[in-house]
Amino acid sequence: VAFLRELYVDVAFLGTNGFSPERGFTTPDAEEAATKRALIGCAGRSVALADSSKHGVNHFAAFAGIEDIDLLITDGGLDPRKVSGLEAAGLQVVRA
């Protein structure tokens, strides 16, 4: 993690085990969360990739708030009302 703090990347692409407006982006692994926080800190832009089944799922360790991620790419299964809620919290969402 210390090594990552010395880097700069244009875009960090991050997977997640769960995401919600309340808890942000989460994983069950604290070390993984620390690594992802460090990557977000050294990135010019952060993009999360998650399928719609992970919406509303909260795990042990949060690695980013909704406001820390620039873009979420998900599938078309995410309910448009949920997309609106995420966008209202400041997250750009692309459904593919």
Side-chain angles (χ1 to χ4, degrees):
V1 171
F3 171 75
L4 293 173
R5 291 187 185 122
E6 303 301 319
L7 299 179
Y8 175 79
V9 296
D10 290 329
V11 182
F13 290 93
L14 305 157
T16 186
N17 297 88
F19 65 98
S20 69
E22 302 78 24
R23 288 267 297 143
F25 295 85
T26 62
T27 178
D29 186 308
E31 289 183 19
E32 179 181 336
T35 301
K36 289 180 177 183
R37 276 192 297 273
L39 282 169
I40 291 166
C42 71
R45 189 166 159 80
S46 297
V47 177
L49 307 157
D51 65 77
S52 59
S53 70
K54 295 181 179 169
H55 181 272
V57 176
N58 295 307
H59 289 278
F60 173 71
F63 63 86
I66 292 295
E67 68 282 356
D68 299 319
I69 300 295
D70 299 297
L71 173 66
L72 168 65
I73 300 174
T74 189
D75 60 78
L78 188 59
D79 184 303
R81 292 174 298 210
K82 293 179 181 177
V83 171
S84 294
L86 292 166
E87 291 176 335
L91 180 62
Q92 181 183 358
V93 180
V94 171
R95 295 187 306 156

